[in-house]
Amino acid sequence: PLVWQVLVEPSSSASLGAGLWRSLIVAGWVSLISVLIGCPTGVIAGTYDFPARRLFLGVLAVPLLIPSFLWAIGLSTLRMQLGFGSDSILSGLSGSVIAFSSLAIPLVVYASFVSARGLSQGQVDSAY
């Protein structure tokens, strides 16, 4: 319905259209970053047995237990504590991407970890 309103009445919903466009940009960047970091990390965790793998996977679940608005509040507080201005990398579009990526990366890691654990030994051998 919001997209339809923006398309039908662009002049009356200009700010709505800009907000919708910005949300799509944030979603795109978060998806790209999450896949680029999460897939290799999950595959490595699923195929190799390294010393702290169980601890790593347990600690990776912590961001999923914290509500997303607390990540945004924490990032804003960190920005103020570091003395960065309101146009720094920790605010605006990049700050939103950082806050949401910290929640999306563990999901991709777990999904690729489970997928890699489901590979048979023959499939792993043929990949190498």
Side-chain angles (χ1 to χ4, degrees):
L2 294 177
V3 174
W4 181 255
Q5 182 180 354
V6 169
L7 293 175
V8 172
E9 302 172 20
S11 61
S12 66
S13 58
S15 62
L16 179 65
L20 190 62
W21 178 247
R22 193 154 177 100
S23 295
L24 291 174
I25 291 172
V26 169
W29 278 108
V30 168
S31 299
L32 180 69
I33 290 169
S34 298
V35 168
L36 288 178
I37 294 173
C39 279
T41 306
V43 169
I44 289 170
T47 54
Y48 296 107
D49 188 22
F50 51 91
R53 182 174 76 174
R54 294 183 86 185
L55 177 66
F56 168 71
L57 292 171
V59 169
L60 198 61
V62 172
L64 300 175
L65 301 174
I66 301 170
S68 60
F69 70 91
L70 290 180
W71 282 99
I73 291 171
L75 196 63
S76 176
T77 304
L78 177 67
R79 179 188 60 82
M80 289 186 286
Q81 288 293 325
L82 294 176
F84 291 163
S86 62
D87 58 344
S88 68
I89 194 168
L90 296 179
S91 62
L93 178 71
S94 59
S96 298
V97 169
I98 291 169
F100 287 122
S101 292
S102 63
L103 298 171
I105 290 172
L107 294 174
V108 176
V109 170
Y110 283 134
S112 58
F113 172 77
V114 169
S115 297
R117 295 292 289 175
L119 295 174
S120 67
Q121 189 60 38
Q123 290 171 325
V124 173
D125 290 340
S126 67
Y128 295 115

